[in-house]
Amino acid sequence: MHSSMTSPSRYAALSKEEFQDLKLLDSCAVANAIERFRMQLRNEGYAEGGLVCRYPYMLPVLGYAMTLRVRSSAPPSKGRTFFENTEWWNELLAIPAPRILVIQDMDRYPGAGALIGDMHVCILKTLDCVAVATNGAVRDVSRIEGFDFQMFSGSLTVSHAYSHIVHVGGPVQIGGLEISPGDLVHGDCHGLVRIPRELASRIPATASALRKKEEEIMSYCHSSGFSVDGLRDLLAEQ
């Protein structure tokens, strides 16, 4: 198992107020606000289709990413199985809480086995994790449902198979989204969004202004004075 050791000083947490303001938003509002700053292409910074939110009724989650790469389809060629390996917890705890564990399944066909089940969710919650996201599989979804812990995954499976960690830390990619340790990640029933740290304090006000404009447009659509030309004028102000 390889590891990309990093210093705790690398990870700077948001203020409590900044964090709470972001957490109150849904992921679509976050994505809309990020688009306004034109820091990245509009088809970047979020996970594409393929990741399923397992508890879509839950409130949005927000946390700092911890990354792993795993394999499940064959026994580890060297090193130890997941159950025998706990050293990576030190790197997890070096990242600010709350934490989101992001796991890239490196198998040719991801999802042969699940690293995460109810016992490991219990451990992760104790270590201040609020969610896990993987392009691979998870299991025990009915047992985990009452844990107040969100899961995003590409599939479900009945077995751990040969799940084992092959790399700790460093960038991973799930659903076309690259995530590195310490990245700020927001997720809900719509999916996952990576929040650029330099925009974090500006997103809530931008999202609020955008929502106010959307409500104005929707109100106009139901008004007695509606006209197509009027609607065009409102949209032009977006």
Side-chain angles (χ1 to χ4, degrees), residues 2-6 10-11 65-69 91 95 101-104 106 167-174 177-183:
H2 300 283
S3 176
S4 300
M5 292 298 292
T6 46
R10 173 184 168 186
Y11 308 118
M66 169 63 193
T67 61
L68 299 175
R69 294 183 210 168
E91 291 197 52
I95 289 171
L101 182 61
V102 184
I103 304 170
Q104 182 175 359
M106 302 295 291
H167 197 280
V168 176
V172 298
Q173 190 172 99
I174 60 169
L177 174 64
E178 184 172 295
I179 298 176
S180 295
D183 279 353

Side-chain angles (χ1 to χ4, degrees), residues 7 18 26 28 44 47 51 55 80 83 91 100 107 113-114 131 133 135 144 168 191 198 236:
S7 166
E18 288 173 332
D26 64 63
C28 292
E44 294 179 347
L51 288 188
Y55 308 114
R80 293 171 291 171
F83 303 101
E91 291 197 52
I100 293 179
D107 283 330
N135 63 317
I144 294 168
V168 176
E198 57 269 40

Side-chain angles (χ1 to χ4, degrees), residues 7 9 27 57 134 143 150 176 212 227 229:
S7 166
S9 62
S27 288
Y57 52 82
T134 178
R143 296 178 186 173
Q150 186 59 274
K212 184 176 179 181
S227 72
D229 287 339

Side-chain angles (χ1 to χ4, degrees), residues 156-217:
L156 301 176
T157 187
V158 300
S159 175
H160 290 298
Y162 291 106
S163 292
H164 61 281
I165 298 169
V166 296
H167 197 280
V168 176
V172 298
Q173 190 172 99
I174 60 169
L177 174 64
E178 184 172 295
I179 298 176
S180 295
D183 279 353
L184 191 58
V185 179
H186 191 288
D188 64 11
C189 60
H190 302 97
L192 292 172
V193 181
R194 185 189 63 230
I195 299 176
R197 189 64 65 92
E198 57 269 40
L199 298 182
S201 63
R202 304 167 67 186
I203 286 174
T206 301
S208 177
L210 288 172
R211 186 57 188 165
K212 184 176 179 181
K213 188 63 180 180
E214 289 173 348
E215 289 173 350
E216 181 184 353
I217 292 169

